């Protein structure tokens, strides 16, 4: 039997590569999907034996899967054009370096905005297992941003984040007032961002206002097309579907993660 080497790669060793002694790769095992992909079927028995100490549960074995549209885009995109690595509040991270955080202290409004975007972004990222793909801090021409773009079985959502910090939030379309601060047209801005996203992606996009940490949220009935959610209600999106097939989700995600898609608006 041919001696093989097993080498982990990727963050957390999520993929194990199997290679010959001369360094040629002949297979890999993806822990997340439970699949062994063979580059040469002639070594199947040896590969199974080499991976046996590392495999948990049932696995499927076969040739490498056909790459999705998202996979192909990831392979061809220049890193500067790929929006997928963006963190929630990416633009705010750049503005709020360590020095400015110490200078302004905890009352700096942008710190609250960043915390809200991280809270909402983490909740949206948690929808991955339900077939959703999420981008954060999507740039639009004119220095505007879409806080989060969620693409999944229930369609495409342009999510605008609002930091409440335990205060009461009152909505009188299109105005939204947080605590004692003056009202601002957040619903108008949310609709406009969804319209621009729909134009860029050539598909329907629904606006969502995600309110992070409200002490009380007053939402009048019959809002025109905008869905208002508390950050704690975001996981409920996993139960929705019937709009996009998985292949459609991947195709739209591949288009949306390319920065150049948004610069053509």
């Amino acid at each position: 039997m041919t001696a093989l080497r097993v080498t982990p790669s990727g963050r957390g060793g999520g993929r194990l590569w199997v290679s010959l002694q001369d360094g040629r790769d002949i297979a890999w095992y993806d822990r997340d999907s439970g699949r062994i992909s063979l580059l040469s079927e002639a070594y199947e028995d040896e590969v199974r034996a080499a991976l046996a100490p590392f495999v948990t549960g049932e696995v499927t074995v076969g040739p490498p899967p056909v790459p999705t549209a998202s996979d192909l885009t990831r392979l061809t995109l220049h890193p500067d054009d790929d929006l997928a690595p963006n963190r929630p509040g990416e633009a705010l991270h750049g503005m709020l370096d360590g020095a400015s955080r110490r200078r302004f202290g905890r009352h700096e409004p942008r710190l609250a905005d960043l915390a809200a975007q991280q809270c909402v972004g983490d909740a949206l990222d948690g929808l991955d297992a339900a077939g959703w793909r999420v981008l954060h801090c999507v740039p639009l021409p004119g220095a505007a941003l879409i806080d989060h773009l969620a693409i999944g079985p229930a369609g495409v959502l342009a999510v605008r984040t609002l930091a409440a910090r335990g205060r009461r939030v009152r909505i009188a379309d299109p105005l939204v007032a947080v605590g004692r601060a003056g009202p601002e047209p957040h619903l108008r801005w949310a609709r406009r961002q969804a319209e621009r996203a729909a134009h860029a992606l050539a598909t329907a996009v629904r606006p969502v206002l995600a309110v992070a940490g409200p002490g009380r949220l007053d939402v009048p009935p019959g809002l025109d097309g905008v869905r208002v959610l508390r950050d704690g209600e975001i996981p409920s999106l996993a139960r929705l579907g019937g709009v996009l097939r998985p292949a459609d989700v991947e195709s739209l995600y591949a288009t949306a993660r390319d920065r150049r898609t948004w610069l053509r608006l």
Side-chain angles (χ1 to χ4, degrees), residues 136-158:
H136 307 288
C137 204
V138 176
L140 300 172
L145 295 168
I146 296 175
D147 292 339
H148 318 278
L149 188 78
I151 305 170
V156 184
L157 309 177

Side-chain angles (χ1 to χ4, degrees), residues 63-233:
V66 176
T68 65
S70 181
D71 293 330
L72 295 174
T73 298
R74 175 176 53 80
L75 293 171
T76 58
L77 266 183
H78 188 280
D80 290 343
D81 290 326
D82 190 0
L83 301 178
N86 281 5
R87 298 166 292 178
E90 185 70 41
L92 290 171
H93 278 287
M95 291 187 288
L96 294 169
D97 57 20
S100 65
R101 294 186 191 207
R102 290 191 296 270
R103 184 168 63 252
F104 291 115
R106 62 186 180 89
H107 297 296
E108 163 61 28
R110 289 176 295 183
L111 287 176
D113 291 340
L114 177 58
Q117 291 205 30
Q118 290 173 328
C119 175
V120 171
D122 289 346
L124 289 168
D125 287 338
L127 298 172
D128 182 77
W132 289 78
R133 300 291 178 263
V134 180
L135 295 168
H136 307 288
C137 204
V138 176
L140 300 172
L145 295 168
I146 296 175
D147 292 339
H148 318 278
L149 188 78
I151 305 170
V156 184
L157 309 177
V159 183
R160 182 177 182 84
T161 302
L162 181 65
R165 294 184 291 177
R167 294 172 294 177
R168 180 182 180 183
V169 177
R170 291 165 294 172
I171 297 177
D173 195 2
L175 301 176
V176 180
V178 179
R180 297 180 180 179
E184 294 183 300
H186 285 281
L187 298 189
R188 181 186 303 151
W189 294 336
R191 291 186 183 105
R192 178 57 180 151
Q193 290 168 356
E195 290 170 0
R196 299 182 76 178
H199 180 72
L201 300 174
T203 192
V205 178
R206 297 170 58 193
V208 173
L209 181 67
V211 184
R216 175 177 170 181
L217 179 58
D218 298 333
V219 182
L223 286 182
D224 185 16
V226 181
R227 182 166 189 166
V228 179
L229 294 173
R230 295 174 174 83
D231 54 285
E233 296 173 329

Side-chain angles (χ1 to χ4, degrees), residues 8-15 17:
S9 70
R11 185 170 55 188
R15 177 172 290 185
W17 288 92

Side-chain angles (χ1 to χ4, degrees), residues 12 18 26 44 53 57 121 156 166 171 201 203 227-228 249 251 258 264:
V18 184
I26 58 172
E44 179 176 347
V156 184
I171 297 177
L201 300 174
T203 192
R227 182 166 189 166
V228 179
V249 171
S251 179
D258 188 341
R264 291 192 291 264

